[in-house]
Amino acid sequence: IKEVVESECPAPATSEFKFATDEEAVQLNDVLLERAGFDFEKLLEDQRGTTVWHGSEFRPIHQLKMVIGEHPNFDYLVEIFEKGMEYVFKREISEPERRAELRAQIERGNHKSASGEEEELTKLLEKDVSHGFSLPVSAELIPRLKGALVQPCGLASQYSLQADGTRKMKKRLTHDLSFALTADDASVNARIDMEAYPELFYGWCLLRVIHFVVSLRAENPGVRIFISKFDYSDAYRRITHAARAAVQSILILGNLASNKPVEL
């Protein structure tokens, strides 16, 4: 770890994209998209070596290998760092099916929870964009984007804890990749092949921690045990989508369309 920390880690260059929702920024992104022939894969390839390229938030692969190279899923992580997170489908929809679903979603619009909440939705979307997690372009260009799919967005309300321990109502932007109109399995989530991905552990955290503490105590009687909690901010957005996945994860808000080139 010391050797890696002391090793040179070149910073990525600034991309040509403008991560803002004002008219000037969106128009610039539109020009870049048109220059790439409305092919998002080529658009991203033109930004190789910049902050939006795959793995730009991480150290070089050879340095990562020195620290986590023994992890059983390291080869899978390397593929994501180099190529982005791809959607692996059980069934690929045909081009006529994709165009029909895209047209139907654009015509229907967003979920009812988004109705009358344009100001709140815009604020949440602008936050995503300003952090570089979403790329804004003009909504009118989406039908010309190669392989594009659109899903409805909405708002979900939930409580969050404040510093003094009191609860505060918070609204979150949702993007419904399970919603389809033209076929039961037209949605992204319905077609995902879960067997193609490594297993993830989400539940039973408290039980696992208790077992771990008991095990530590058994091995180290009479020794003080420390435990700490870490919150990885925006953890699910730290790895880029592959271009093909990003164009199938688009939401439209008014005249603005936004996809997710950066999301875990």
Side-chain angles (χ1 to χ4, degrees), residues 1-2 13 21 26 49 51-52 56 61 104 127 129 143 147-149 155 161 166 175 179 182 194 208 215 235-236 245:
I1 293 176
K2 183 175 184 293
T21 57
V26 174
T51 52
V52 299
S56 64
I61 298 298
K127 180 181 177 182
V129 170
L149 283 174
L155 278 178
L161 285 177
T166 59
H175 191 193
F179 186 79
T182 58
M194 296 300 294
R208 296 204 313 270
S215 177
Y236 286 86

Side-chain angles (χ1 to χ4, degrees), residues 12 47 172 194 206 244:
Q47 307 300 315
R172 291 186 178 274
M194 296 300 294
L206 180 59
R244 182 171 169 270

Side-chain angles (χ1 to χ4, degrees), residues 197-246:
Y197 297 92
E199 186 177 10
L200 297 177
F201 291 92
Y202 284 100
W204 307 105
C205 178
L206 180 59
L207 187 61
R208 296 204 313 270
V209 170
I210 292 173
H211 277 278
F212 182 55
V213 171
V214 171
S215 177
L216 286 176
R217 173 58 68 221
E219 292 292 328
N220 304 277
V223 177
R224 182 175 295 180
I225 298 175
F226 292 94
I227 187 170
S228 60
K229 172 183 175 294
F230 295 92
D231 183 9
Y232 290 91
S233 177
D234 299 309
Y236 286 86
R237 293 168 172 156
R238 294 299 174 188
I239 296 179
T240 56
H241 263 153
R244 182 171 169 270

